[in-house]
Amino acid sequence: MELLEQISFNLQNGLDDVVAALTKDAIEKRIPPGEILSDGLIAGMSIVGEKFKNHDIFLPDVLLAARAMNGAMEMLKPLLIKEGIPIRGKVVIGSVKDDLHDIGKNLVAILIKGAGFEVIDLGNDVPAEKFISAAKEENAHVIGMSALLTTTMPVMKKVVDLAKDEGLYGKIRIIVGGAPVSKEYALEIGADAYSYDGANAVETVESFFPVNN
Ligand code: B1M
């Protein structure tokens, strides 16, 4: 089995030590970190998601896979982040209230940081008010929200509405993402943009600059 397939396979089985060792091996073999991420880790996690949906595996299996993924992502992080580039703007990011999924959000945060932006990561389960207060305190240019559950998506609208109430709307750019989120939903709630993955999130954030406010 090819190395990236082995990473995917062992991630599906939640073997974090093996995934870490294989990721180290892949890094040493100079496989590009983006490829390790997409063809090894994300590929494995997609299969985990399918199996979970079909009830072939259960929540503890998903948790183990998530732990293996997070461990390997920590190893890839310094390689994904370019060192020593000037700060281009500030982004406050988080997974919305009641949403504990943070793997995708973490990845998006790493890539945005890697593109030279300062990233204030509020973590997961972030209330709407917290996005707004943090953005104000930090003088952020962008708020990024992630939701993986259809039930938590309405928090995104709440943040947009609060931004309007606080006079921030149109000044701070709001970007939304996550598997159940769509361009149509972003438009419907009045967010500035929808991004479908990390690389696209970087392009979107970059498209907001220079900011004229
Ligand atoms: Co849960 N879960 N989960 N889960 N989980 C999903 C999302 C689900 C689709 C699984 C399924 O049924 N097939 C389903 C949601 C159904 C729905 O609402 N549509 C689901 C469910 C139901 C649940 C629970 C309710 C299960 C339960 O308890 N019965 C529960 C809810 C907990 C909660 O949040 N309150 C739950 C729990 C969990 C775990 C804790 C076990 C774990 C999360 C661990 C963690 O994140 N630390 C987990 C996981 C791992 C998943 C799956 C399998 C994988 C998610 C993931 O990390 N993908 C997921 C199935 C799936 O998505 N295929 C599933 C890899 C990651 C890199 O991709 O997060 O999509 P993703 O991020 C992408 C893009 O979406 C985008 O870029 C990222 C990189 O490409 N993106 C952005 C994301 N955020 C962005 C923000 C942006 C821009 C782009 O701008 C700001």
Side-chain angles (χ1 to χ4, degrees):
M1 207 190 288
E2 192 235 324
L3 186 51
L4 297 184
E5 271 177 62
Q6 286 181 43
I7 291 180
S8 163
F9 178 80
N10 286 285
L11 183 135
Q12 290 165 49
N13 290 309
L15 300 175
D16 57 342
D17 289 348
V18 181
V19 172
L22 291 168
T23 302
K24 183 167 178 278
D25 195 15
I27 292 169
E28 282 167 6
K29 291 204 162 94
R30 300 199 175 279
I31 297 178
E35 246 173 69
I36 303 175
L37 192 61
S38 59
D39 300 348
L41 301 170
I42 293 182
M45 194 50 105
S46 302
I47 296 172
V48 169
E50 270 308 299
K51 287 185 175 167
F52 182 56
K53 189 169 77 186
N54 298 329
H55 308 290
D56 293 332
I57 58 169
F58 301 98
L59 204 54
D61 305 306
V62 184
L63 272 172
L64 289 174
R67 190 173 66 180
M69 174 127 189
N70 275 329
M73 259 168 55
E74 278 303 311
M75 298 167 73
L76 291 177
K77 198 169 169 177
L79 302 173
L80 292 167
I81 296 176
K82 296 177 210 143
E83 299 289 345
I85 37 182
I87 299 298
R88 301 168 72 185
K90 225 184 229 191
V91 181
V92 162
I93 195 167
S95 298
V96 298
K97 173 126 183 64
D98 293 330
D99 209 316
L100 303 180
H101 297 88
D102 63 0
I103 295 175
K105 181 268 297 168
N106 292 344
L107 184 54
V108 169
I110 289 171
L111 294 179
I112 294 178
K113 201 168 173 191
F117 296 90
E118 184 174 350
V119 175
I120 317 290
D121 189 344
L122 303 176
N124 58 13
D125 191 18
V126 181
E129 296 77 10
K130 178 74 188 163
F131 279 103
I132 298 295
S133 61
K136 275 171 139 181
E137 276 160 29
E138 297 287 347
N139 274 323
H141 304 95
V142 180
I143 293 177
M145 289 181 275
S146 176
L148 266 283
L149 298 171
T150 43
T151 50
T152 59
M153 285 165 58
V155 181
M156 294 175 155
K157 176 165 178 352
K158 198 171 169 195
V159 172
V160 174
D161 290 345
L162 275 175
K164 287 179 181 165
D165 294 346
E166 302 270 336
L168 295 175
Y169 193 64
K171 293 183 184 156
I172 288 188
R173 306 293 179 167
I174 301 178
I175 157 174
V176 292
V181 182
S182 63
K183 198 173 171 181
E184 291 69 31
Y185 183 71
L187 203 65
E188 183 189 317
I189 64 170
D192 291 288
Y194 158 75
S195 282
Y196 51 86
D197 67 10
N200 184 245
V202 170
E203 279 171 23
T204 308
V205 170
E206 282 176 335
S207 75
F208 294 149
F209 289 86
V211 194
N212 301 312
N213 62 328

